Amino acid sequence: MCQEGRSPVFLQSERFGGTLMKKIVELKNISKSFDGETVLDNINLDIYDNEFLTLLGPSGCGKTTTLRIIGGFEHPDQGDVIFMGERINDMPPHKRNVNTVFQKYAMFPHLNVFENIAFPLRERRVPKKTIEEKVHEMLSMVMLNGFDHRRVTSLSGGQQQRVAIARALIGQPKVLLLDEPLGALDLKLRKDMQQELKKIQKATGITFIFVTHDQEEALTMSDTIVVMSQGRIQQIGTPQDIYNEPKNAFVADFIGESNILDGTMLKDLMVRFSGTTFQCVDKGFAPQEPVDVVVRPEDVDIVAQEKGMLRGVVTSVTFMGVHYEVIVDIGGFKWMIQTTDYVGEGEYIGLYIEPDAIHIMKKSEYSGLYGDYSSFSNELDELSDPGEESEDYE
Amino acid sequence: MKTTSRIYTALVFIFLFAPIAILLVFSFNESKSLSVFGGFSIKWYRELLHDEATLESVRNTLLLAVSAMVISTVMGTAAAVGIQKLRSKWLRTALSTATDIPMTNPDIITGISLMLMFVFVGRLFGLANSLSFWTMLIAHVTFCLPYVILQVLPRLRQMDPSLPEAAQDLGCPPLRAFFKVVLPEIRPGIVTGAIMAFTLSLDDFVISYFTSGAGFQTLPVRIYNMTKKTVTPKMYALATIIFFVILALLLISNLTDQNKKKPNQ
Ligand SMILES: Nc1ncnc2c1ncn2[C@@H]1O[C@H](COP(=O)(O)OP(=O)(O)O)[C@@H](O)[C@H]1O
Ligand SMILES: [Mg+2]
């Protein structure tokens, strides 16, 4: 059922060496609008020391704006930005102990790799010798040894990315902000960089606030995911929380594949949908309360028709490599099921769903927005994948 | 085909350089006549050296050109940065169009209107003769400014707008961030703008003519005033010197340009 805030597992991980982990950044009731249009609507978010936190949401939901408010490049219309207990609403960016990896890297083209990375230290008048040592340390951390005198304009996207990370980390900020840093890289490089970023975060212990619209990236990299939509936080939690216990239909639909159905909570541990009554593990709803029901495609078992809790006909089967994606018509609602067993198109089958595979959500403004899989096609899904390269060219 | 194009090229060069060649030859003419070459002499050059009023006007011209260049480059760059920073696209377009107007405006209109303004404002303050170095400077800055803006603005547009933010992010106060990362990016535009401002100011006659007072004459105005009396070969000498100075500057700037381009490519 819906849990407030973070799961018990996460609360435990907030404890470190017996002491409660420190809050580094707190956003309190932050609202922001541009030209009369609300972009952030009462954002409340605590970010902890040492955390890899991801802001996840479709393009235009306000992720960059949130990051820019923390960096000091935008000012909230309302609310407070707290940094290590101190209100920093009016502190200019250069005084904040926060560094940013910009979406398009923002390399200084007139400086070579060494000077780009050395930039923050030169600003602080660090002795030459120390600068040299630190830059080389950074270069080896991002695996660019020997690139000192290369022009940044001669580097590939992935290499510029690494220089940008080294430059942002050399000043040892408390927090690193990363705005879709992997968006422009190809898939293979992107996977490698995901691992590397995660490693760097662990090694340095710096809090990372990472922005992406890619749910898979968010799930694999984060300690905490903040799902945003239309300028509001929809859910905060661990990747497991977000996936297994989505708070509303938006989160369920945005993260992974899901069958979202209208249902009625009959009583505790008992829900009715698709004309059938199911055992479930959720409680605490009012009797007869209308709810949204989520069943993940991989949590459904295909069984013989007479043994099924639901019965229907297979309308399409797609081979995906590891599994098949099967679309089943059940009383007019098209379900998606992922299975390793082959079934043929046109076959009549039964579905079996374990009680803990059923997740109940309260009705929200997003209820009913996401239909079934009747118009589903993999290619279409990929085409309509938000963003990728269509973003942020104001 | 080949011969035609050669003849054509030759004709173009003749038309371009024949007047200058004639000027050159007659500046070394012993006699004052325009039809007879009375022998080689550098007496007109020597005479020029002793013409205090002309030398004064050369100094004036240079002083004015340098001042106008410095002021219009600084102001133009600042204006371009300001225009680029505007959030409203409409206002941005409107402003850059407005700065283009003085460029397309005929010089004579600009000159007369500036003179009118100076005299009018001078009268308001009870000055009998308000035209001076300062009014000319204002006039020259006015017509140079759009050219500087026009050179700097595209550079700013090409620049990644997150550069100054990145510098601030890494610990630079905003003004320092401008000098450390924005300026190097837009420098080529600024340099071109400055050179244009300098040459435009040197070159200008019409606007200078209307806005110069009795006490301050630039070289073009001085030459014009000299031609109203008698034309002496002294002026040919002057024109020849100017031609060669400009030629030298052109060669130098072309050579340094090529040197700069090589390592980048
Ligand atoms: N400087 C700005 N001026 C006007 N509108 C803006 C500005 N920055 C962002 N927006 C608008 O705010 C919304 C959220 O933008 P953004 O925070 O960049 O979203 P995201 O990073 O999640 O894609 C978008 O609709 C965008 O057009
Ligand atoms: Mg963004």
Side-chain angles (χ1 to χ4, degrees), chain A residues 34 68 73-74 93-94 98-100 102 104 106-110 119-120 123 151 167-168, chain B residues 87 160-174 176 180-181 184-185 264:
Chain A
F34 287 114
R68 288 173 62 79
F73 299 107
E74 299 285 357
H94 67 275
V98 169
N99 285 351
T100 309
F102 288 83
K104 278 171 273 163
M107 292 284 98
F108 303 136
H110 64 292
F119 191 93
E123 276 314 297
R151 300 179 67 91
R167 186 180 69 179
Chain B
R87 276 224 168 137
D160 179 355
S162 51
L163 286 189
E165 289 189 348
Q168 286 179 54
D169 192 68
L170 297 168
C172 270
R176 230 178 115 64
K180 286 208 78 172
V181 307
E185 286 306 292
N264 288 357

mmCIF file of all heavy atoms in Angstrom, chain A residues 34 68 73-74 93-94 98-100 102 104 106-110 119-120 123 151 167-168, chain B residues 87 160-174 176 180-181 184-185 264:
data_model
loop_
_atom_site.group_PDB
_atom_site.id
_atom_site.type_symbol
_atom_site.label_atom_id
_atom_site.label_comp_id
_atom_site.label_asym_id
_atom_site.label_seq_id
_atom_site.Cartn_x
_atom_site.Cartn_y
_atom_site.Cartn_z
ATOM 1 N N PHE A 34 7.304 30.794 -14.832
ATOM 2 C CA PHE A 34 7.873 31.603 -15.905
ATOM 3 C C PHE A 34 6.723 32.157 -16.720
ATOM 4 O O PHE A 34 5.886 31.387 -17.182
ATOM 5 C CB PHE A 34 8.762 30.764 -16.821
ATOM 6 C CG PHE A 34 10.072 30.364 -16.217
ATOM 7 C CD1 PHE A 34 10.347 29.046 -15.944
ATOM 8 C CD2 PHE A 34 11.032 31.323 -15.914
ATOM 9 C CE1 PHE A 34 11.568 28.675 -15.396
ATOM 10 C CE2 PHE A 34 12.254 30.962 -15.363
ATOM 11 C CZ PHE A 34 12.516 29.634 -15.103
ATOM 12 N N ARG A 68 18.606 24.237 -11.253
ATOM 13 C CA ARG A 68 19.115 25.607 -11.362
ATOM 14 C C ARG A 68 18.822 26.415 -10.107
ATOM 15 O O ARG A 68 19.563 27.339 -9.773
ATOM 16 C CB ARG A 68 18.531 26.296 -12.601
ATOM 17 C CG ARG A 68 19.128 25.739 -13.906
ATOM 18 C CD ARG A 68 18.428 26.292 -15.134
ATOM 19 N NE ARG A 68 18.557 27.741 -15.255
ATOM 20 C CZ ARG A 68 19.638 28.352 -15.719
ATOM 21 N NH1 ARG A 68 20.660 27.653 -16.120
ATOM 22 N NH2 ARG A 68 19.678 29.664 -15.791
ATOM 23 N N PHE A 73 21.058 29.622 -10.110
ATOM 24 C CA PHE A 73 20.858 30.312 -11.392
ATOM 25 C C PHE A 73 19.421 30.750 -11.615
ATOM 26 O O PHE A 73 19.132 31.515 -12.518
ATOM 27 C CB PHE A 73 21.325 29.429 -12.548
ATOM 28 C CG PHE A 73 22.772 29.103 -12.468
ATOM 29 C CD1 PHE A 73 23.208 27.841 -12.113
ATOM 30 C CD2 PHE A 73 23.719 30.089 -12.702
ATOM 31 C CE1 PHE A 73 24.557 27.552 -12.010
ATOM 32 C CE2 PHE A 73 25.068 29.813 -12.592
ATOM 33 C CZ PHE A 73 25.486 28.546 -12.245
ATOM 34 N N GLU A 74 18.520 30.203 -10.816
ATOM 35 C CA GLU A 74 17.146 30.699 -10.829
ATOM 36 C C GLU A 74 16.768 30.965 -9.373
ATOM 37 O O GLU A 74 17.312 30.338 -8.460
ATOM 38 C CB GLU A 74 16.168 29.655 -11.391
ATOM 39 C CG GLU A 74 16.421 29.234 -12.811
ATOM 40 C CD GLU A 74 16.014 30.278 -13.836
ATOM 41 O OE1 GLU A 74 15.467 31.340 -13.445
ATOM 42 O OE2 GLU A 74 16.261 30.037 -15.025
ATOM 43 N N PRO A 93 25.632 32.067 -7.239
ATOM 44 C CA PRO A 93 26.175 30.738 -7.571
ATOM 45 C C PRO A 93 27.639 30.561 -7.185
ATOM 46 O O PRO A 93 28.029 29.504 -6.721
ATOM 47 C CB PRO A 93 26.030 30.663 -9.095
ATOM 48 C CG PRO A 93 24.970 31.626 -9.436
ATOM 49 C CD PRO A 93 24.993 32.701 -8.391
ATOM 50 N N HIS A 94 28.450 31.624 -7.366
ATOM 51 C CA HIS A 94 29.886 31.426 -7.145
ATOM 52 C C HIS A 94 30.238 31.243 -5.682
ATOM 53 O O HIS A 94 31.339 30.852 -5.354
ATOM 54 C CB HIS A 94 30.702 32.560 -7.779
ATOM 55 C CG HIS A 94 30.498 33.900 -7.142
ATOM 56 N ND1 HIS A 94 29.470 34.745 -7.477
ATOM 57 C CD2 HIS A 94 31.209 34.536 -6.183
ATOM 58 C CE1 HIS A 94 29.560 35.839 -6.759
ATOM 59 N NE2 HIS A 94 30.588 35.744 -5.966
ATOM 60 N N VAL A 98 28.449 24.130 -4.397
ATOM 61 C CA VAL A 98 27.709 23.205 -5.250
ATOM 62 C C VAL A 98 28.262 23.378 -6.658
ATOM 63 O O VAL A 98 28.426 24.507 -7.097
ATOM 64 C CB VAL A 98 26.216 23.608 -5.256
ATOM 65 C CG1 VAL A 98 25.451 22.851 -6.318
ATOM 66 C CG2 VAL A 98 25.587 23.406 -3.897
ATOM 67 N N ASN A 99 28.594 22.316 -7.332
ATOM 68 C CA ASN A 99 29.049 22.451 -8.718
ATOM 69 C C ASN A 99 28.134 21.689 -9.666
ATOM 70 O O ASN A 99 27.432 20.780 -9.255
ATOM 71 C CB ASN A 99 30.482 21.975 -8.879
ATOM 72 C CG ASN A 99 31.479 22.975 -8.313
ATOM 73 O OD1 ASN A 99 31.109 24.100 -7.958
ATOM 74 N ND2 ASN A 99 32.713 22.575 -8.219
ATOM 75 N N THR A 100 28.191 22.085 -10.943
ATOM 76 C CA THR A 100 27.246 21.562 -11.919
ATOM 77 C C THR A 100 27.973 20.954 -13.110
ATOM 78 O O THR A 100 28.964 21.504 -13.580
ATOM 79 C CB THR A 100 26.338 22.700 -12.433
ATOM 80 O OG1 THR A 100 25.786 23.383 -11.305
ATOM 81 C CG2 THR A 100 25.214 22.170 -13.298
ATOM 82 N N PHE A 102 27.022 20.598 -16.749
ATOM 83 C CA PHE A 102 25.958 21.128 -17.589
ATOM 84 C C PHE A 102 25.588 20.158 -18.699
ATOM 85 O O PHE A 102 26.378 19.312 -19.105
ATOM 86 C CB PHE A 102 26.373 22.481 -18.180
ATOM 87 C CG PHE A 102 26.378 23.577 -17.166
ATOM 88 C CD1 PHE A 102 27.472 23.770 -16.340
ATOM 89 C CD2 PHE A 102 25.277 24.402 -17.006
ATOM 90 C CE1 PHE A 102 27.478 24.775 -15.385
ATOM 91 C CE2 PHE A 102 25.269 25.411 -16.061
ATOM 92 C CZ PHE A 102 26.370 25.600 -15.249
ATOM 93 N N LYS A 104 25.197 20.464 -21.878
ATOM 94 C CA LYS A 104 26.046 20.399 -23.063
ATOM 95 C C LYS A 104 27.510 20.613 -22.690
ATOM 96 O O LYS A 104 28.281 21.190 -23.434
ATOM 97 C CB LYS A 104 25.565 21.408 -24.103
ATOM 98 C CG LYS A 104 24.388 20.839 -24.901
ATOM 99 C CD LYS A 104 23.747 21.874 -25.786
ATOM 100 C CE LYS A 104 22.684 22.657 -25.033
ATOM 101 N NZ LYS A 104 22.318 23.908 -25.714
ATOM 102 N N ALA A 106 29.496 22.582 -21.451
ATOM 103 C CA ALA A 106 30.006 23.932 -21.175
ATOM 104 C C ALA A 106 31.509 23.966 -20.968
ATOM 105 O O ALA A 106 32.010 24.583 -20.034
ATOM 106 C CB ALA A 106 29.279 24.543 -19.964
ATOM 107 N N MET A 107 32.250 23.302 -21.845
ATOM 108 C CA MET A 107 33.716 23.401 -21.821
ATOM 109 C C MET A 107 34.112 24.821 -22.213
ATOM 110 O O MET A 107 33.452 25.444 -23.030
ATOM 111 C CB MET A 107 34.315 22.445 -22.860
ATOM 112 C CG MET A 107 34.148 20.987 -22.558
ATOM 113 S SD MET A 107 35.283 20.480 -21.278
ATOM 114 C CE MET A 107 34.227 20.543 -19.855
ATOM 115 N N PHE A 108 35.203 25.321 -21.643
ATOM 116 C CA PHE A 108 35.716 26.620 -22.071
ATOM 117 C C PHE A 108 36.612 26.381 -23.287
ATOM 118 O O PHE A 108 37.725 25.866 -23.144
ATOM 119 C CB PHE A 108 36.495 27.289 -20.939
ATOM 120 C CG PHE A 108 35.682 27.461 -19.685
ATOM 121 C CD1 PHE A 108 36.220 27.176 -18.449
ATOM 122 C CD2 PHE A 108 34.362 27.897 -19.743
ATOM 123 C CE1 PHE A 108 35.469 27.329 -17.285
ATOM 124 C CE2 PHE A 108 33.601 28.056 -18.592
ATOM 125 C CZ PHE A 108 34.159 27.769 -17.360
ATOM 126 N N PRO A 109 36.169 26.767 -24.476
ATOM 127 C CA PRO A 109 36.878 26.359 -25.700
ATOM 128 C C PRO A 109 38.279 26.959 -25.815
ATOM 129 O O PRO A 109 39.131 26.385 -26.479
ATOM 130 C CB PRO A 109 35.999 26.880 -26.838
ATOM 131 C CG PRO A 109 34.712 27.283 -26.202
ATOM 132 C CD PRO A 109 34.998 27.585 -24.770
ATOM 133 N N HIS A 110 38.511 28.101 -25.174
ATOM 134 C CA HIS A 110 39.824 28.736 -25.341
ATOM 135 C C HIS A 110 40.865 28.153 -24.385
ATOM 136 O O HIS A 110 42.022 28.543 -24.433
ATOM 137 C CB HIS A 110 39.704 30.245 -25.147
ATOM 138 C CG HIS A 110 39.295 30.638 -23.760
ATOM 139 N ND1 HIS A 110 38.048 30.370 -23.247
ATOM 140 C CD2 HIS A 110 39.985 31.238 -22.768
ATOM 141 C CE1 HIS A 110 37.986 30.815 -22.009
ATOM 142 N NE2 HIS A 110 39.140 31.338 -21.693
ATOM 143 N N PHE A 119 40.561 25.320 -13.668
ATOM 144 C CA PHE A 119 39.838 26.594 -13.547
ATOM 145 C C PHE A 119 39.383 26.942 -12.123
ATOM 146 O O PHE A 119 39.706 28.018 -11.611
ATOM 147 C CB PHE A 119 38.654 26.598 -14.516
ATOM 148 C CG PHE A 119 37.980 27.920 -14.678
ATOM 149 C CD1 PHE A 119 38.341 28.788 -15.688
ATOM 150 C CD2 PHE A 119 36.965 28.309 -13.809
ATOM 151 C CE1 PHE A 119 37.721 30.012 -15.837
ATOM 152 C CE2 PHE A 119 36.334 29.531 -13.944
ATOM 153 C CZ PHE A 119 36.716 30.380 -14.963
ATOM 154 N N PRO A 120 38.657 26.031 -11.450
ATOM 155 C CA PRO A 120 38.171 26.388 -10.108
ATOM 156 C C PRO A 120 39.313 26.622 -9.119
ATOM 157 O O PRO A 120 39.192 27.489 -8.242
ATOM 158 C CB PRO A 120 37.353 25.178 -9.673
ATOM 159 C CG PRO A 120 37.175 24.339 -10.872
ATOM 160 C CD PRO A 120 38.215 24.698 -11.860
ATOM 161 N N GLU A 123 40.895 30.023 -9.673
ATOM 162 C CA GLU A 123 40.039 31.052 -9.083
ATOM 163 C C GLU A 123 40.346 31.222 -7.598
ATOM 164 O O GLU A 123 40.225 32.305 -7.055
ATOM 165 C CB GLU A 123 38.561 30.680 -9.248
ATOM 166 C CG GLU A 123 37.967 31.057 -10.576
ATOM 167 C CD GLU A 123 38.340 32.458 -10.969
ATOM 168 O OE1 GLU A 123 37.938 33.382 -10.244
ATOM 169 O OE2 GLU A 123 39.043 32.642 -11.981
ATOM 170 N N ARG A 151 43.195 20.223 -26.941
ATOM 171 C CA ARG A 151 42.135 21.241 -26.990
ATOM 172 C C ARG A 151 40.819 20.556 -26.685
ATOM 173 O O ARG A 151 40.574 19.450 -27.176
ATOM 174 C CB ARG A 151 42.051 21.862 -28.389
ATOM 175 C CG ARG A 151 43.309 22.535 -28.856
ATOM 176 C CD ARG A 151 43.083 23.074 -30.254
ATOM 177 N NE ARG A 151 42.105 24.145 -30.228
ATOM 178 C CZ ARG A 151 42.433 25.417 -30.081
ATOM 179 N NH1 ARG A 151 43.681 25.755 -29.961
ATOM 180 N NH2 ARG A 151 41.507 26.348 -30.053
ATOM 181 N N ARG A 167 36.259 18.694 -13.834
ATOM 182 C CA ARG A 167 36.268 20.120 -13.522
ATOM 183 C C ARG A 167 35.299 20.453 -12.394
ATOM 184 O O ARG A 167 35.568 21.298 -11.548
ATOM 185 C CB ARG A 167 35.905 20.911 -14.795
ATOM 186 C CG ARG A 167 36.028 22.400 -14.651
ATOM 187 C CD ARG A 167 35.652 23.103 -15.930
ATOM 188 N NE ARG A 167 34.230 22.994 -16.213
ATOM 189 C CZ ARG A 167 33.632 23.549 -17.265
ATOM 190 N NH1 ARG A 167 34.353 24.221 -18.141
ATOM 191 N NH2 ARG A 167 32.344 23.412 -17.445
ATOM 192 N N ALA A 168 34.161 19.758 -12.394
ATOM 193 C CA ALA A 168 33.154 20.041 -11.375
ATOM 194 C C ALA A 168 33.534 19.432 -10.027
ATOM 195 O O ALA A 168 33.077 19.894 -8.987
ATOM 196 C CB ALA A 168 31.791 19.521 -11.826
ATOM 197 N N ARG B 87 15.229 38.585 -22.297
ATOM 198 C CA ARG B 87 14.462 37.343 -22.337
ATOM 199 C C ARG B 87 13.472 37.361 -23.495
ATOM 200 O O ARG B 87 13.265 36.358 -24.148
ATOM 201 C CB ARG B 87 13.698 37.167 -21.020
ATOM 202 C CG ARG B 87 14.578 36.533 -19.971
ATOM 203 C CD ARG B 87 13.820 35.451 -19.229
ATOM 204 N NE ARG B 87 14.753 34.666 -18.434
ATOM 205 C CZ ARG B 87 14.527 34.287 -17.204
ATOM 206 N NH1 ARG B 87 13.393 34.598 -16.617
ATOM 207 N NH2 ARG B 87 15.400 33.561 -16.550
ATOM 208 N N ASP B 160 27.893 29.055 -26.362
ATOM 209 C CA ASP B 160 27.055 28.265 -25.473
ATOM 210 C C ASP B 160 26.676 29.137 -24.274
ATOM 211 O O ASP B 160 27.541 29.583 -23.532
ATOM 212 C CB ASP B 160 27.861 27.040 -25.022
ATOM 213 C CG ASP B 160 27.083 26.163 -24.059
ATOM 214 O OD1 ASP B 160 25.964 26.551 -23.678
ATOM 215 O OD2 ASP B 160 27.600 25.096 -23.702
ATOM 216 N N PRO B 161 25.365 29.418 -24.090
ATOM 217 C CA PRO B 161 24.980 30.340 -23.021
ATOM 218 C C PRO B 161 25.323 29.823 -21.622
ATOM 219 O O PRO B 161 25.314 30.574 -20.663
ATOM 220 C CB PRO B 161 23.462 30.483 -23.186
ATOM 221 C CG PRO B 161 23.045 29.295 -23.989
ATOM 222 C CD PRO B 161 24.215 28.905 -24.833
ATOM 223 N N SER B 162 25.644 28.538 -21.513
ATOM 224 C CA SER B 162 25.980 28.049 -20.172
ATOM 225 C C SER B 162 27.449 28.323 -19.801
ATOM 226 O O SER B 162 27.828 28.071 -18.666
ATOM 227 C CB SER B 162 25.643 26.569 -20.032
ATOM 228 O OG SER B 162 26.180 25.819 -21.068
ATOM 229 N N LEU B 163 28.254 28.867 -20.738
ATOM 230 C CA LEU B 163 29.661 29.149 -20.395
ATOM 231 C C LEU B 163 29.810 30.108 -19.212
ATOM 232 O O LEU B 163 30.498 29.784 -18.252
ATOM 233 C CB LEU B 163 30.429 29.690 -21.607
ATOM 234 C CG LEU B 163 30.789 28.683 -22.701
ATOM 235 C CD1 LEU B 163 31.725 29.324 -23.709
ATOM 236 C CD2 LEU B 163 31.419 27.441 -22.121
ATOM 237 N N PRO B 164 29.160 31.288 -19.264
ATOM 238 C CA PRO B 164 29.328 32.172 -18.107
ATOM 239 C C PRO B 164 28.749 31.561 -16.827
ATOM 240 O O PRO B 164 29.285 31.782 -15.742
ATOM 241 C CB PRO B 164 28.574 33.447 -18.498
ATOM 242 C CG PRO B 164 27.729 33.084 -19.668
ATOM 243 C CD PRO B 164 28.397 31.938 -20.343
ATOM 244 N N GLU B 165 27.691 30.787 -16.986
ATOM 245 C CA GLU B 165 27.121 30.136 -15.802
ATOM 246 C C GLU B 165 28.097 29.103 -15.245
ATOM 247 O O GLU B 165 28.245 28.961 -14.030
ATOM 248 C CB GLU B 165 25.784 29.467 -16.148
ATOM 249 C CG GLU B 165 24.687 30.479 -16.392
ATOM 250 C CD GLU B 165 23.322 29.837 -16.520
ATOM 251 O OE1 GLU B 165 23.255 28.597 -16.641
ATOM 252 O OE2 GLU B 165 22.325 30.573 -16.487
ATOM 253 N N ALA B 166 28.755 28.384 -16.151
ATOM 254 C CA ALA B 166 29.721 27.382 -15.693
ATOM 255 C C ALA B 166 30.848 28.062 -14.921
ATOM 256 O O ALA B 166 31.282 27.569 -13.879
ATOM 257 C CB ALA B 166 30.278 26.600 -16.878
ATOM 258 N N ALA B 167 31.302 29.208 -15.423
ATOM 259 C CA ALA B 167 32.377 29.918 -14.735
ATOM 260 C C ALA B 167 31.933 30.367 -13.344
ATOM 261 O O ALA B 167 32.663 30.234 -12.364
ATOM 262 C CB ALA B 167 32.828 31.115 -15.559
ATOM 263 N N GLN B 168 30.709 30.891 -13.259
ATOM 264 C CA GLN B 168 30.191 31.292 -11.956
ATOM 265 C C GLN B 168 30.052 30.089 -11.039
ATOM 266 O O GLN B 168 30.367 30.147 -9.852
ATOM 267 C CB GLN B 168 28.819 31.950 -12.110
ATOM 268 C CG GLN B 168 28.883 33.344 -12.673
ATOM 269 C CD GLN B 168 27.500 33.936 -12.828
ATOM 270 O OE1 GLN B 168 26.725 33.974 -11.890
ATOM 271 N NE2 GLN B 168 27.176 34.374 -14.023
ATOM 272 N N ASP B 169 29.587 29.015 -11.616
ATOM 273 C CA ASP B 169 29.420 27.782 -10.863
ATOM 274 C C ASP B 169 30.742 27.342 -10.246
ATOM 275 O O ASP B 169 30.785 26.791 -9.158
ATOM 276 C CB ASP B 169 28.892 26.710 -11.818
ATOM 277 C CG ASP B 169 28.405 25.485 -11.088
ATOM 278 O OD1 ASP B 169 27.387 25.607 -10.398
ATOM 279 O OD2 ASP B 169 29.047 24.426 -11.203
ATOM 280 N N LEU B 170 31.830 27.609 -10.976
ATOM 281 C CA LEU B 170 33.146 27.160 -10.517
ATOM 282 C C LEU B 170 33.859 28.228 -9.685
ATOM 283 O O LEU B 170 35.059 28.137 -9.461
ATOM 284 C CB LEU B 170 34.003 26.754 -11.717
ATOM 285 C CG LEU B 170 33.439 25.567 -12.510
ATOM 286 C CD1 LEU B 170 34.158 25.403 -13.836
ATOM 287 C CD2 LEU B 170 33.516 24.283 -11.717
ATOM 288 N N GLY B 171 33.127 29.257 -9.291
ATOM 289 C CA GLY B 171 33.686 30.185 -8.320
ATOM 290 C C GLY B 171 34.002 31.589 -8.793
ATOM 291 O O GLY B 171 34.590 32.367 -8.056
ATOM 292 N N CYS B 172 33.637 31.946 -10.025
ATOM 293 C CA CYS B 172 33.877 33.297 -10.524
ATOM 294 C C CYS B 172 32.692 34.199 -10.214
ATOM 295 O O CYS B 172 31.571 33.855 -10.544
ATOM 296 C CB CYS B 172 33.995 33.282 -12.046
ATOM 297 S SG CYS B 172 35.619 33.052 -12.667
ATOM 298 N N PRO B 173 32.936 35.382 -9.676
ATOM 299 C CA PRO B 173 31.846 36.363 -9.622
ATOM 300 C C PRO B 173 31.450 36.732 -11.055
ATOM 301 O O PRO B 173 32.270 36.601 -11.961
ATOM 302 C CB PRO B 173 32.466 37.562 -8.911
ATOM 303 C CG PRO B 173 33.713 37.058 -8.283
ATOM 304 C CD PRO B 173 34.169 35.876 -9.064
ATOM 305 N N PRO B 174 30.201 37.206 -11.261
ATOM 306 C CA PRO B 174 29.692 37.388 -12.625
ATOM 307 C C PRO B 174 30.578 38.224 -13.546
ATOM 308 O O PRO B 174 30.816 37.833 -14.694
ATOM 309 C CB PRO B 174 28.347 38.076 -12.407
ATOM 310 C CG PRO B 174 27.932 37.677 -11.035
ATOM 311 C CD PRO B 174 29.184 37.476 -10.246
ATOM 312 N N ARG B 176 33.821 38.871 -13.395
ATOM 313 C CA ARG B 176 35.035 38.125 -13.675
ATOM 314 C C ARG B 176 34.762 37.008 -14.669
ATOM 315 O O ARG B 176 35.562 36.736 -15.557
ATOM 316 C CB ARG B 176 35.545 37.511 -12.374
ATOM 317 C CG ARG B 176 36.981 37.761 -12.114
ATOM 318 C CD ARG B 176 37.365 37.153 -10.790
ATOM 319 N NE ARG B 176 38.323 36.074 -11.007
ATOM 320 C CZ ARG B 176 39.537 36.261 -11.504
ATOM 321 N NH1 ARG B 176 39.942 37.470 -11.848
ATOM 322 N NH2 ARG B 176 40.360 35.257 -11.672
ATOM 323 N N LYS B 180 36.681 36.280 -18.073
ATOM 324 C CA LYS B 180 37.469 35.046 -18.191
ATOM 325 C C LYS B 180 36.958 34.089 -19.262
ATOM 326 O O LYS B 180 37.750 33.406 -19.886
ATOM 327 C CB LYS B 180 37.524 34.322 -16.837
ATOM 328 C CG LYS B 180 38.447 35.033 -15.868
ATOM 329 C CD LYS B 180 39.039 34.077 -14.873
ATOM 330 C CE LYS B 180 40.175 33.277 -15.456
ATOM 331 N NZ LYS B 180 40.886 32.483 -14.457
ATOM 332 N N VAL B 181 35.652 34.002 -19.451
ATOM 333 C CA VAL B 181 35.191 33.026 -20.447
ATOM 334 C C VAL B 181 34.353 33.594 -21.591
ATOM 335 O O VAL B 181 34.372 33.038 -22.683
ATOM 336 C CB VAL B 181 34.433 31.829 -19.797
ATOM 337 C CG1 VAL B 181 35.267 31.205 -18.711
ATOM 338 C CG2 VAL B 181 33.085 32.233 -19.279
ATOM 339 N N PRO B 184 36.968 35.895 -24.198
ATOM 340 C CA PRO B 184 37.770 35.139 -25.170
ATOM 341 C C PRO B 184 36.935 34.573 -26.315
ATOM 342 O O PRO B 184 37.424 34.462 -27.436
ATOM 343 C CB PRO B 184 38.361 33.994 -24.336
ATOM 344 C CG PRO B 184 38.295 34.450 -22.938
ATOM 345 C CD PRO B 184 37.120 35.357 -22.836
ATOM 346 N N GLU B 185 35.684 34.256 -26.032
ATOM 347 C CA GLU B 185 34.824 33.686 -27.069
ATOM 348 C C GLU B 185 34.410 34.723 -28.101
ATOM 349 O O GLU B 185 34.266 34.426 -29.273
ATOM 350 C CB GLU B 185 33.560 33.094 -26.440
ATOM 351 C CG GLU B 185 33.782 31.797 -25.720
ATOM 352 C CD GLU B 185 34.443 30.781 -26.609
ATOM 353 O OE1 GLU B 185 33.802 30.327 -27.571
ATOM 354 O OE2 GLU B 185 35.620 30.457 -26.360
ATOM 355 N N ASN B 264 45.147 26.496 -35.787
ATOM 356 C CA ASN B 264 43.797 26.013 -35.488
ATOM 357 C C ASN B 264 43.342 24.923 -36.441
ATOM 358 O O ASN B 264 42.480 24.129 -36.118
ATOM 359 C CB ASN B 264 42.797 27.166 -35.571
ATOM 360 C CG ASN B 264 42.959 28.105 -34.398
ATOM 361 O OD1 ASN B 264 43.776 27.844 -33.521
ATOM 362 N ND2 ASN B 264 42.207 29.184 -34.387
#
